[in-house]
Amino acid sequence: MEEMAFLDEKELDSLAVLTGRKSAQKWRGMGKRMAAGGAAVTIANTGLVNSGKSSLFNALLDSFEQERFPVGAVRTTMQGDRENLCQGVDIVDTPGIDASDDDDDAAYSALMEADLIVAVHNIKTGMLNKSEYEWLKKLAGGMKGQEIGKRVVFVCTWIDERERQDGYQDAVKETKSQVFEALGEEVPLWEVSAKRYFTAHKKGKESLARASKIPQFKEFLLEKAVSAHGTAAQQRQQAFQQLCSETIGQLNSQKQRLQGYINRTEKNLQYKYAPAVRSWESILENFKSMREDINRKLDELKECDQGEYDKLKSRLNQMG
C-alpha cells in the first residue's frame, strides 16, 4: 500500500483550508500509520530543544562511543532521525518544539504516525513552561480517550542535576499534575539520567547504571512496544474511524457556517440593491408600455397610409 494512498496532497491541502492545518497533519500521520501495516512499532520522542530527548534515545541505543542521534545546545534534529532499537522496534528523534513552525509541523506529523510517544522534559528547569503545556494539549487533541494513556509516556530528564536540591520532589509532583491537566489522562512518568548512565558505562558501575533508571525504562518501553504490536492493527483502525468521525463533524460544521454566511450575504445584497432593482423594473415596464404604444400606432398608420408607414418603419430600422 502506497503512503497516503487514501488521501493525496491536493486533498490534504483542501482539508487544511476547510478544517485547519492541524487536521491535515493528523491525516498525514494517520496515513503513514495505516500504510505501516504490520511493520515495526515506532517510538517517537518529543520535547523542547535541549530537553535531553536525543541523549535519552542515545542511551537507549547504548551509543557510548558515537552519538546515533546528534546532541547539541542548539537545534540539531531536522525531520525525524530514525534508528532501530531492536527487532521490530524503531525509535524516532523528532525536531525540538517551539523552535520554528516548520519544526513543530514535522514533529507533530511524526508523533501522529508513531505507535508510542515519549514526551521529554528537562526537570532541572522546574515544571513545564507554557510551550510544553500547550504542546501536550495539542498532542492530546490528536488522540482520543484511552488512546492517550496507551500511547504516551512522560519522562523527566537531567535528574542528576536536580534531585539533591530542595524542592525537587515538589517540582516532579507539580509537573505530573500539569501533564495530567494537559493530556486529560494519567500516563506513566519516569525520572531518568542519561548522563549518569554514560558515566556508569565509563566507570563500569552497574549500580550507577541502575540508579540512572535507563535500563528499567528501556525494559518498560520494550514491554509497551510488544503490547502495542499485538494490538496495533486494531488501535490504528479505531484511531482511523475516530479521525473520520471527527473530520466529518468539522466539515459539517464548516458547511453550516458557510451556508449561514451565504444566507446572510444574500439577505444583505437583497436589502442593499432592492431599491435599484425596483427602479429598473419600473423603467423596463415603462419601456415595455412605450413599445406597445408605438407598435399600436404603427399598425394604425399602416392601415391608413402605407407609404407613410414604410417611411417611418425605414427610419426606425435605421435608428436600430
Side-chain angles (χ1 to χ4, degrees), residues 152-168:
V152 180
V153 179
F154 193 86
V155 178
C156 293
T157 57
W158 296 100
I159 63 171
D160 52 284
E161 297 193 17
R162 183 65 194 273
E163 64 182 351
R164 291 185 178 86
Q165 298 178 4
D166 292 338
Y168 170 73

Side-chain angles (χ1 to χ4, degrees), residues 25-26 29-30 33 108-114 117 139 142 151:
Q25 289 172 334
K26 289 182 185 180
M30 179 58 67
R33 287 187 73 194
Y108 188 83
S109 294
L111 294 170
M112 291 301 99
E113 173 189 352
I117 299 170
L139 291 184
R151 289 178 65 189

Side-chain angles (χ1 to χ4, degrees), residues 270-283:
Q270 289 173 358
Y271 178 79
K272 181 177 181 179
Y273 295 106
V277 171
R278 288 194 295 269
S279 296
W280 278 109
E281 288 176 344
S282 177
I283 292 172

Side-chain angles (χ1 to χ4, degrees), residues 17-247:
V17 172
L18 293 171
T19 62
R21 188 174 63 179
K22 180 179 175 181
S23 179
Q25 289 172 334
K26 289 182 185 180
W27 275 102
R28 282 189 176 91
M30 179 58 67
K32 293 178 181 178
R33 287 187 73 194
M34 297 297 289
V41 171
T42 300
I43 304 173
N45 64 18
T46 186
L48 292 173
V49 174
N50 211 26
S51 63
K53 58 187 183 62
S54 297
S55 294
L56 172 62
F57 271 21
N58 281 326
L60 293 177
L61 291 167
D62 288 337
S63 301
F64 300 116
E65 307 303 328
Q66 183 179 6
E67 294 174 349
R68 303 274 284 279
F69 295 117
V71 176
V74 296
R75 171 183 180 265
T76 53
T77 306
M78 301 302 178
Q79 290 296 323
D81 303 327
R82 179 183 292 263
E83 293 283 350
N84 180 250
L85 180 61
C86 66
Q87 185 176 358
V89 181
D90 287 346
I91 55 177
V92 177
D93 187 27
T94 69
I97 62 172
D98 208 27
S100 71
D101 289 341
D102 289 340
D103 281 355
D104 286 357
D105 287 347
Y108 188 83
S109 294
L111 294 170
M112 291 301 99
E113 173 189 352
D115 297 293
L116 298 175
I117 299 170
V118 178
V120 181
H121 169 65
N122 184 347
I123 195 61
K124 69 180 180 181
T125 65
M127 58 187 186
L128 302 182
N129 66 23
K130 183 178 179 181
S131 296
E132 291 175 292
Y133 184 84
E134 293 299 325
W135 182 252
L136 289 180
K137 288 182 66 175
K138 182 177 180 178
L139 291 184
M143 296 176 279
K144 296 296 181 181
Q146 296 181 345
E147 185 184 0
I148 297 171
K150 293 178 180 178
R151 289 178 65 189
V152 180
V153 179
F154 193 86
V155 178
C156 293
T157 57
W158 296 100
I159 63 171
D160 52 284
E161 297 193 17
R162 183 65 194 273
E163 64 182 351
R164 291 185 178 86
Q165 298 178 4
D166 292 338
Y168 170 73
Q169 291 301 328
D170 290 337
V172 173
K173 183 178 179 180
E174 180 60 32
T175 299
K176 186 174 183 178
S177 177
Q178 287 181 296
V179 171
F180 177 78
E181 290 176 4
L183 295 177
E185 289 284 333
E186 191 81 34
V187 300
L189 186 146
W190 282 77
E191 302 164 53
V192 305
S193 171
K195 179 180 178 181
R196 184 175 290 165
Y197 184 67
F198 289 122
T199 300
H201 170 73
K202 290 180 181 179
K203 296 183 177 181
K205 293 185 176 181
E206 179 64 25
S207 60
L208 189 59
R210 298 295 295 178
S212 73
K213 300 292 180 67
I214 294 294
Q216 299 94 313
F217 179 62
K218 182 175 181 178
E219 183 179 350
F220 166 80
L221 268 187
L222 292 178
E223 289 178 356
K224 290 274 290 184
V226 170
S227 176
H229 189 272
T231 60
Q234 181 181 359
Q235 288 180 359
R236 289 167 183 164
Q237 187 61 35
Q238 289 175 348
F240 174 70
Q241 292 173 349
Q242 289 170 347
L243 185 55
C244 284
S245 298
E246 176 186 319
T247 304

